[in-house]
Amino acid sequence: MTVLKLGIPKGSLQEATIQLFARAGYAIYASARSYFPSIDDPEIECMLIRAQEMPRYVADGVLDAGLTGADWVAEQAANGGGPVVPVADLIYAKQSLGKVRWVLAVPEPRASARPRNLAGCTIATELVRATAAYFTRLGVPVKVEFSWGATEVKPPLLADAIVEVTETGSSLRANRLRILETVLESNTQLIASPSAMGDDWRRRKIQGLSLLLKAAIEAQGRVGPHAQRAA
């Protein structure tokens, strides 16, 4: 039997994604010990993959489709990775039905600083290419370092500033960081591999899944419009 290989984002988006699928009529059961959740559709096989890696595995055809952030799709393209096919924008995040922001943040003692004041500074982030492009556009020379996580704790000892993703800014405030500017906004996307979209059965399956997920988000928005506040 033909099956659709579908990537579910592991980590911060995992539970929100499983809840979205439930509202769309799919029951996904994820075990803490397995990277292969079960789903009550025999034509779909799920795999948990970090959102940062999803575009690469979809582009390579290891997965037919997956859910990830538009930011990671852009980062994959900037790194010279293979193309993916954006199928649908799905505006939901970990805590809300909204977009997330990648923001430039500095320690509170530097809260009055401006991005141009960071010339020669070290910026820690997971979103290296987009951050470097942001400072290039500003004409501000900085050193952008990849952060393996816990980015909020890097300033001021390990970095002068950070570019980090946020919905509410609460984690940044808890670590005594102030937001200077938004570097970019992002939302979840359903993406597909070119090879899957070239196959009639897989294309129809992906498009049907897309319609159900978008309908679930629209219905949730009508029930709780207060949840659509921007991050």
Side-chain angles (χ1 to χ4, degrees):
M1 182 178 66
T2 303
V3 297
L4 184 77
K5 295 174 291 184
L6 178 67
I8 303 296
K10 179 175 174 58
S12 61
L13 272 180
Q14 180 176 328
E15 188 56 36
T17 299
I18 290 174
Q19 291 176 5
L20 172 61
F21 271 74
R23 294 196 298 273
Y26 295 93
I28 296 178
Y29 304 94
S31 165
R33 298 184 178 183
S34 174
Y35 282 83
F36 298 93
S38 63
I39 184 171
D40 61 346
D41 182 336
E43 295 180 340
I44 298 177
E45 290 181 354
C46 294
M47 183 176 183
L48 289 173
I49 295 288
R50 281 169 54 87
Q52 295 92 323
E53 299 180 293
M54 192 76 72
R56 174 163 65 95
Y57 290 115
V58 172
D60 291 347
V62 177
L63 297 170
D64 297 315
L67 291 93
T68 187
D71 43 7
W72 300 120
V73 174
E75 191 80 349
Q76 154 91 355
N79 280 324
V84 299
V85 180
V87 178
D89 283 312
L90 304 172
I91 312 299
Y92 76 97
K94 179 181 178 181
Q95 301 178 36
S96 66
L97 294 181
K99 294 187 176 184
V100 297
R101 295 180 296 153
W102 284 89
V103 298
L104 174 63
V106 296
E108 286 184 347
R110 301 191 63 167
S112 61
R114 297 291 182 268
R116 64 177 177 273
N117 301 138
L118 298 175
C121 290
T122 297
I123 315 297
T125 184
E126 288 186 78
L127 201 71
V128 173
R129 294 281 184 168
T131 298
Y134 165 78
F135 279 101
T136 297
R137 289 194 300 271
L138 295 178
V140 178
V142 297
K143 179 181 180 182
V144 181
E145 290 188 343
F146 179 76
S147 173
W148 291 93
T151 307
E152 298 97 327
V153 306
K154 300 289 176 68
L157 295 179
L158 303 178
D160 300 293
I162 65 171
V163 170
E164 179 66 329
V165 67
T166 184
E167 287 186 63
T168 66
S170 59
S171 179
L172 295 172
R173 289 190 296 271
N175 286 281
R176 299 181 179 180
L177 297 171
R178 295 289 181 88
I179 295 173
L180 296 187
E181 283 193 359
T182 296
V183 174
L184 63 83
E185 287 189 333
S186 180
N187 57 266
T188 308
Q189 286 187 334
L190 173 63
I191 60 174
S193 70
S195 59
M197 295 303 283
D199 177 88
D200 287 342
W201 183 88
R202 286 180 171 82
R203 184 179 65 254
R204 290 195 299 270
K205 189 70 175 179
I206 292 168
Q207 291 171 340
L209 177 62
S210 171
L211 289 174
L212 290 172
L213 293 175
K214 288 192 292 186
I217 289 176
E218 291 170 2
Q220 179 71 7
R222 288 194 294 270
V223 170
H226 63 282
Q228 297 196 51
R229 293 191 299 269

